[in-house]
């Protein structure tokens, strides 16, 4: 079958699925063999529809195709056999044994005999290997997990597990385009052609009216198939609202014939600004390009209707600590301040009260002025929206709305018939509220993921709301509670925000997907398709790119430590501004309405206010003195650096800076502007000078640190575990294939102590026998196995496992002293008891923890409290407890006296973030044996044992998923490795970033292979030395230059917000304490 024919099958599959022909869809999947629908397969297995399971599989593989296929069919038939035995239906069991399982006897006769012998048992669980068999539901779940791994590893399923990324209703679009073309070829085209069939080409009959000015717009969708899943009309003339059409031509796709009239409401265009440090969780980065949820800050301006515009420009700031602040920009005075507080707790729902009872804090996701500047709204990370009234510098409570379950991710003001507040949230809903009474007017349901942004707008008389969700879906709604009119995918399935040009005629969106690829595009509203994609954004953005529009001509986005600008009519970058090198990797940006000022988040826990020539003149004329950034309070350091002169703002000022659809003049002189640069000299007081002395240490090349890649003659497999010996004389790595590697340093003139060092080459050590310490792998795929090991205090023994039995090795001879505990379940984490080397805690794949005595070969007790496999264990002598962590993101504390559970707590995962459901959570005690470091791919957190009170949390904004982290030997620093290859060094006491090491500093350039650290280990006596275990099998030792002596310096406490005892730190560039 040709490639185009194959693609046609996918288009038909999409069409059938949208039309709800479910059985036909799956029959075509099976018969074509092009797409294996894993979700459908899961449903069949979970429901025990074994005949359908095998029938569906038969379209893709047969029993004897390969070992993966054989294992798949065997597991299915074995489960069917065991279920028959469990029902005591021996006749059915015999039938399955003879018809289904006998085929496997030719490959493993012993196994077939063992299966046959189960018929003789009263309960097959008497068989030792089946003793852990639970009920049918749990057994199917366990088997399904194994089947999915086998299918993904089976080469016959390669390229068949992902459905192509098609725009919704792609087949309909092609048909519509064909009909449009046919209509253009008509000799006498009618204005509203009546298309009744697709079986023959369309032609219009003899003319009996005016010639059509343009081809039809989605005639099929208007006439034949009025389904919401296609290209439904958004106008009142469509099938969703009866009555005559108010528009002269069909309004199909998204919107056609856009009105040049600006929308009077505030759209949810980009206006967020994280200014007190970077956002405090990784979820926020994918969820809110403008103002991430739980971020450090949000910002909007009030601009009142007054001749003294600059005297009435008021930035409105919200922080991740729940504080709101209103500033007078020109006078640098804070004119309002409030902490987070629920106004009427008794009126709140029980879930909200329970949430606040456990943690009475909330961050601010969005702040927004109303169009007339008399109200402003605040969206919090917990349930509620606050609406404040603001007159004559007086801030008063107006409305408290419990808007959503969980986080309220965005809000905007709109004016469909009266002033309304539009909100969206973690509960996947969009709601519209009366801005005066607080009554709920509409609720829109249809997203399958948390909704993170809304964009109200109108076309002629049609009022609507765009919404985007974290799964990359875009929907549009009328104010009628009748479902979405549009259902499209954002480019790259990215987390996206939308904004119109100033005159409302052009629609843009910007977003970043989970792989870090960013997309800035303009939409063709009449077709619901991308019109142009702008070039120049980073290919692997470490945060979600922020963007904004100016006037009707320019786009701006914060990316790669700068602000980038495009002409709307050109896909190539026009110019860039680096903000004097103080910008983070993905700065938040926000224009004022006049386009003369730009607020940009900085690396220095602040916001820079950049002014063009007109902005400088306005500031100076308003004050009749130079712009003095130092008078702004420390919560928002406002600066006015040098900046290029920009064209004068010519459009009239509107009522609200947040109104992204009213005219906004261009901020920069990007074409034919030859005026000289304007330099605004801020006056900075002495305290600010001190805080500016500090600068984040960036290690970007090999000459800036000492690094050593350890020599390796053994086959390279990714390093799964890494540890220094307790003496510091050697380092031990465990590769994913179960092989251990030991490097030792020799004493010599350059290394008198013989300790590990990046300045002296190590030797890959093996005993004279040449044997390797190799773990039992059982039947486990090495790539799927969870590796773990623990080293005895005297460095004599290592306990290790790689999915098979646990092995005890002699570190001197590499001989295997014993093996025990054959899976299932497999061991996933090991820890020696601090007071007895014969006692080990063993975390298991089945979520239990076994306290095992090696000497007597006996399990003393089993601890149960987790729901997924154990990923971390740590003992504390001081607290006399064992802390465990699991892939369920839960921490549990166990008493070492009686092994009872003392407490447990789930990590505070950033809302809306798509987290790996099996992500590791590691734990490590501070040297004080009281404070506990918890490491997850989304965050670093400090807890206090045994109550597990979360003292601090740091969520990287810029670097991508965390792969591992560890305390330095003195517990003064935390080394954090990332999937992008970088390493961050944090000050442990406050989780503030002081140094960042880029991969180019320790890795040679290799564009064909992506290499990054999976594990990180700290030297036991050298606080500044650590080692990295890499995905390519290598191990690197890193130390600072001898002339430096340390990894950067800690920033001064007065640089930004003051320290709090239990803060939620935010951001990879500079955490908020």
């Amino acid at each position: 079958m040709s490639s185009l024919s194959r693609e046609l099958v996918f288009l038909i599959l999409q069409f059938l699925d949208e039309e709800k022909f479910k059985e036909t869809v799956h029959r075509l999947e099976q018969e074509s063999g092009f797409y294996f629908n894993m979700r459908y397969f899961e449903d069949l297995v979970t429901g025990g529809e074994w005949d359908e399971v095998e029938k569906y599989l038969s379209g893709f593989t047969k029993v004897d195709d390969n070992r993966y296929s054989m294992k798949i069919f065997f597991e299915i038939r074995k489960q069917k056999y065991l279920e028959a035995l469990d029902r005591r239906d021996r006749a059915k069991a015999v039938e399955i044994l003879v018809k289904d399982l006998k085929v496997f006897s030719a490959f493993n006769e012993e196994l077939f005999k063992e299966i046959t012998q189960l018929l003789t048992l009263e309960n097959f669980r008497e068989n030792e290997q089946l003793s852990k068999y639970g009920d049918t539901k749990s057994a199917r779940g366990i088997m399904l997990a194994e089947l999915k791994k086998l299918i993904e590893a089976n080469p016959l399923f390669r390229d068949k597990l992902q459905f192509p990324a098609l725009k919704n209703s792609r087949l309909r679009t092609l048909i519509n385009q064909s009909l449009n073309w046919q209509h253009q070829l008509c000799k006498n085209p009618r204005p509203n052609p009546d298309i009744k069939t697709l079986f023959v080409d369309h032609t219009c009959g003899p003319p009996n009216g005016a010639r059509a000015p343009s081809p039809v717009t989605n005639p099929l969708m208007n006439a034949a198939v009025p389904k919401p899943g296609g290209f439904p009309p958004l106008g009142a003339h469509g099938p969703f609202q009866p009555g005559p059409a108010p528009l002269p031509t069909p309004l199909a796709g998204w919107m056609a014939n856009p009105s040049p009239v600006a929308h009077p409401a505030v759209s949810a265009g980009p206006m967020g600004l994280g200014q007190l440090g970077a956002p405090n969780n990784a979820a926020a980065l994918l969820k809110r390009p403008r103002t991430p949820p739980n971020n450090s800050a949000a910002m909007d301006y009030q601009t009142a209707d007054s001749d003294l515009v600059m005297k009435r420009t008021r930035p409105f700031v919200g922080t991740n600590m729940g504080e709101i602040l209103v500033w007078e920009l020109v006078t640098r005075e804070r004119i309002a301040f409030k902490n987070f507080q629920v106004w009427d707790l008794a009126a709140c729902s029980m879930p909200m009260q329970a949430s606040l009872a456990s943690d009475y804090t909330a961050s601010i996701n969005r702040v927004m002025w109303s169009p007339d500047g008399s109200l402003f709204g605040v969206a919090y990370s917990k349930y509620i929206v606050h609406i404040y009234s603001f007159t004559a510098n007086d801030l008063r409570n107006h409305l408290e709305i419990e808007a959503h379950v969980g986080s309220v991710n965005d809000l905007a003001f709109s004016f469909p018939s009266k002033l309304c507040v539009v909100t969206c949230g973690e509960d996947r809903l969009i709601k519209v509220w009366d801005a005066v009474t607080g009554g709920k007017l509409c609720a829109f349901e249809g997203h399958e993921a948390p909704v993170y942004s809304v964009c109200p707008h109108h076309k002629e008389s049609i009022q609507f709301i765009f919404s985007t969700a974290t799964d990359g879906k875009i929907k549009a709604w009328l104010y009628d509670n009748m479902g979405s009119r549009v259902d499209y995918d954002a480019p790259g399935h990215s987390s996206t925000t939308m904004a119109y040009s100033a005159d409302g005629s052009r629609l843009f969106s910007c977003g970043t997907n989970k792989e870090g690829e960013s997309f800035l595009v303009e939409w063709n509203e009449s077709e619901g398709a991308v019109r142009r994609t702008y070039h120049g954004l980073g290919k692997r953005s470490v945060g979600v790119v922020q963007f904004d529009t100016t006037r009707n001509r320019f786009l701006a986005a914060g990316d790669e430590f700068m602000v980038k600008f495009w002409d709307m009519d050109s896909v190539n970058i026009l110019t860039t501004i680096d903000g004097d090198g103080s910008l983070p990797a993905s700065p938040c940006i926000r224009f004022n309405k006049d386009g003369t000022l730009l607020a940009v988040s900085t690396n220095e826990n602040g916001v820079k206010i950049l002014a063009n020539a007109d902005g400088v003149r306005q500031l100076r004329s308003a004050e009749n003195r130079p712009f003095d950034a130092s008078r702004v309070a420390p919560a928002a350091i406002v600066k006015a650096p040098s900046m290029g002169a920009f064209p004068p703002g010519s459009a009239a000022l509107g009522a609200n800076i947040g109104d992204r659809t009213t005219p906004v003049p261009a901020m920069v002189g990007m074409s034919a502007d030859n005026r000289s640069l304007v330099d605004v000299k801020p006056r900075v007081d002495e305290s600010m000078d001190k805080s500016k002395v500090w600068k984040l240490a960036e290690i970007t090349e090999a000459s800036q640190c000492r690094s050593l890649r350890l020599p390796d003659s053994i086959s390279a497999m990714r390093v799964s575990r890494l540890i220094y010996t307790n003496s510091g004389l050697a380092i031990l790595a465990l590769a994913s294939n179960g092989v251990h590697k030991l490097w030792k340093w020799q004493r010599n003139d350059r290394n008198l102590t013989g300790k590990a060092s990046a300045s002296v080459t190590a030797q890959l050590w093996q005993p004279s026998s040449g044997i390797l310490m190799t773990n039992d792998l059982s039947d486990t795929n090495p790539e799927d196995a969870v590796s773990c090991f623990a080293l005895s205090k005297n460095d004599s023994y290592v306990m290790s496992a790689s999915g098979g039995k646990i092995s005890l090795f002699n570190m001197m001879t590499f001989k295997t002293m014993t093996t025990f505990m054959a899976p299932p379940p497999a061991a996933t984490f090991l820890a020696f008891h601090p007071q007895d080397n014969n006692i080990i805690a063993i975390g298991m794949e089945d979520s239990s923890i076994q306290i095992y005595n090696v000497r007597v070969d006996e399990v003393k007790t089993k601890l149960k409290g987790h729901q997924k496999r154990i990923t971390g264990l740590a003992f504390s002598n001081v607290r006399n407890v064992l802390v465990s962590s699991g892939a369920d993101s839960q921490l549990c504390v166990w008493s070492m006296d009686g092994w009872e559970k003392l407490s447990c707590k789930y990590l505070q995962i950033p809302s809306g973030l798509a987290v790996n459901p099996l992500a590791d959570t590691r734990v490590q005690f501070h040297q004080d044996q009281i404070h506990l470091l918890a490491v997850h791919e989304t965050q670093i957190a400090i807890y206090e044992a045994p109550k597990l009170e979360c003292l601090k949390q740091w969520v990287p904004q810029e670097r991508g998923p965390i792969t591992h982290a560890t305390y330095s030997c003195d517990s003064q620093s935390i080394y954090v490795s990332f999937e992008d290859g970088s390493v961050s060094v944090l000050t442990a006491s406050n989780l503030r970033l002081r140094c960042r090491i880029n991969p180019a500093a320790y890795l040679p350039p290799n564009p064909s292979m992506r290499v990054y650290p999976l594990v990180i280990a700290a030297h036991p006596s050298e606080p500044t030395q650590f080692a990295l275990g890499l995905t390519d099998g290598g191990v690197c030792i890193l130390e600072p230059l001898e002339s430096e002596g340390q990894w950067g310096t800690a920033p001064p406490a007065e640089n930004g917000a003051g320290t709090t005892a239990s803060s939620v730190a935010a951001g990879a560039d500079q955490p908020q304490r």
Side-chain angles (χ1 to χ4, degrees), residues 114-296:
E114 188 174 356
I115 291 174
T116 305
Q117 289 172 359
L118 297 179
L119 288 167
T120 65
L121 302 177
E122 182 66 23
N123 186 333
F124 64 80
R125 293 174 181 82
E126 296 173 20
N127 182 291
E128 182 180 357
Q129 294 186 38
L130 297 172
S131 60
K132 299 290 180 62
Y133 186 96
D135 57 15
T136 298
K137 182 179 179 181
S138 62
R140 288 177 182 173
I142 294 170
M143 179 194 68
L144 181 59
E146 178 66 19
L147 291 179
K148 290 171 70 175
K149 292 180 181 179
L150 291 168
I151 289 170
E152 289 168 358
N154 194 328
L156 294 177
F157 289 82
R158 189 167 298 146
D159 302 326
K160 297 181 180 181
L161 299 178
Q162 292 292 330
F163 198 84
L166 303 177
K167 296 175 182 176
N168 284 359
S169 305
R170 179 59 183 160
L171 186 58
R172 294 176 186 275
T173 302
L174 294 174
I175 293 171
N176 286 337
Q177 291 171 349
S178 173
L179 292 172
N180 282 333
W181 178 248
Q182 293 170 30
H183 187 61
Q184 283 183 324
L185 297 179
C186 291
K187 293 182 179 179
N188 301 294
R190 295 180 179 178
N192 294 292
D194 183 17
I195 297 178
K196 296 181 178 179
T197 181
L198 298 176
F199 294 160
V200 296
D201 287 348
H202 160 71
T203 56
C204 289
N208 56 5
R211 183 179 178 87
S214 61
V216 296
T217 306
N218 294 333
L220 175 64
M221 299 308 108
N222 285 334
V225 191
K227 287 186 174 289
F231 280 67
L234 275 176
H237 65 287
F240 300 98
Q241 292 186 358
L247 301 180
T249 57
L251 186 64
W254 279 3
M255 276 72 63
N257 307 313
S259 167
V261 180
H263 181 42
V266 179
S267 86
M271 52 210 150
L273 184 60
Q275 128 248 6
L276 302 180
N280 76 340
N281 61 68
L285 297 178
L286 288 182
K287 192 171 179 183
R288 301 193 51 76
R290 302 154 299 156
T291 309
N294 304 327
N295 68 341
S296 58

Side-chain angles (χ1 to χ4, degrees), residues 831-843 848-853 858-866 872-877 879-884 892-903 925:
F832 280 100
H833 193 289
Q835 296 150 11
D836 187 347
N837 260 348
N838 292 306
I839 303 294
I840 57 172
I842 307 174
S848 67
I849 303 165
Q850 301 193 16
I851 307 302
Y852 180 76
N853 189 313
E858 180 182 12
V859 175
K860 293 294 185 181
T861 187
K862 287 186 179 181
L863 312 179
K864 295 184 178 181
H866 290 274
L873 296 168
F875 284 98
S876 169
N877 273 328
R879 295 301 196 198
N880 201 37
V881 295
L882 167 69
V883 177
S884 60
C892 294
V893 180
W894 314 86
S895 168
M896 288 164 56
D897 292 330
W899 298 112
E900 69 271 13
K901 185 163 66 173
L902 302 179
S903 60
F925 271 105

Side-chain angles (χ1 to χ4, degrees), residues 254-464:
W254 279 3
M255 276 72 63
N257 307 313
S259 167
V261 180
H263 181 42
V266 179
S267 86
M271 52 210 150
L273 184 60
Q275 128 248 6
L276 302 180
N280 76 340
N281 61 68
L285 297 178
L286 288 182
K287 192 171 179 183
R288 301 193 51 76
R290 302 154 299 156
T291 309
N294 304 327
N295 68 341
S296 58
M299 186 171 182
D300 194 19
Y301 293 82
Q302 180 205 40
T303 306
D305 286 325
S306 168
D307 292 335
L308 298 176
V309 173
M310 289 307 298
K311 291 185 179 180
R312 300 292 304 281
T313 300
R314 300 186 178 98
F316 172 22
V317 178
T319 76
N320 73 321
M321 300 304 293
E323 302 163 330
I324 57 173
L325 308 94
V326 183
W327 303 88
E328 195 72 61
L329 181 60
V330 176
T331 64
R332 281 61 123 196
E333 295 176 8
R334 190 181 74 189
I335 56 179
F337 172 82
K338 284 185 180 289
N339 282 312
F340 170 70
Q341 183 174 7
V342 178
W343 301 343
D344 187 0
L345 187 60
C348 298
S349 65
M350 292 307 296
M352 180 177 173
Q353 291 187 39
S355 175
L356 293 172
S358 61
D359 182 14
Y360 195 85
T361 61
S363 59
I364 293 174
N365 291 338
R366 164 70 72 200
V367 294
M368 173 69 76
W369 285 103
S370 66
D372 63 359
S374 63
L375 301 175
F376 66 74
V378 184
Y380 289 97
S381 62
K382 288 188 178 177
Y383 292 80
I384 62 171
V385 165
H386 280 165
I387 308 296
Y388 293 89
S389 63
F390 188 83
T391 55
N393 290 354
D394 185 19
L395 185 65
R396 295 186 179 182
N397 299 352
H398 176 56
L399 289 174
E400 181 173 70
I401 303 171
E402 186 173 344
H404 295 274
V405 177
S407 176
V408 184
N409 294 333
D410 199 6
L411 67 79
F413 287 94
S414 69
F415 206 99
S417 59
K418 56 184 175 180
L419 186 62
C420 298
V421 179
V422 183
T423 65
C424 65
E426 191 176 6
D427 56 5
R428 307 179 182 182
L429 300 177
I430 302 104
K431 298 181 182 180
V432 181
W433 312 86
D434 188 312
V436 176
T437 66
K440 185 171 70 174
L441 303 177
C442 301
F444 306 127
E445 181 176 358
H447 277 292
E448 296 180 356
V451 187
Y452 83 94
S453 74
V454 288
C455 178
H457 196 62
H458 81 162
K459 292 287 183 179
E460 298 186 359
S461 61
I462 307 301
Q463 300 274 351
F464 56 90

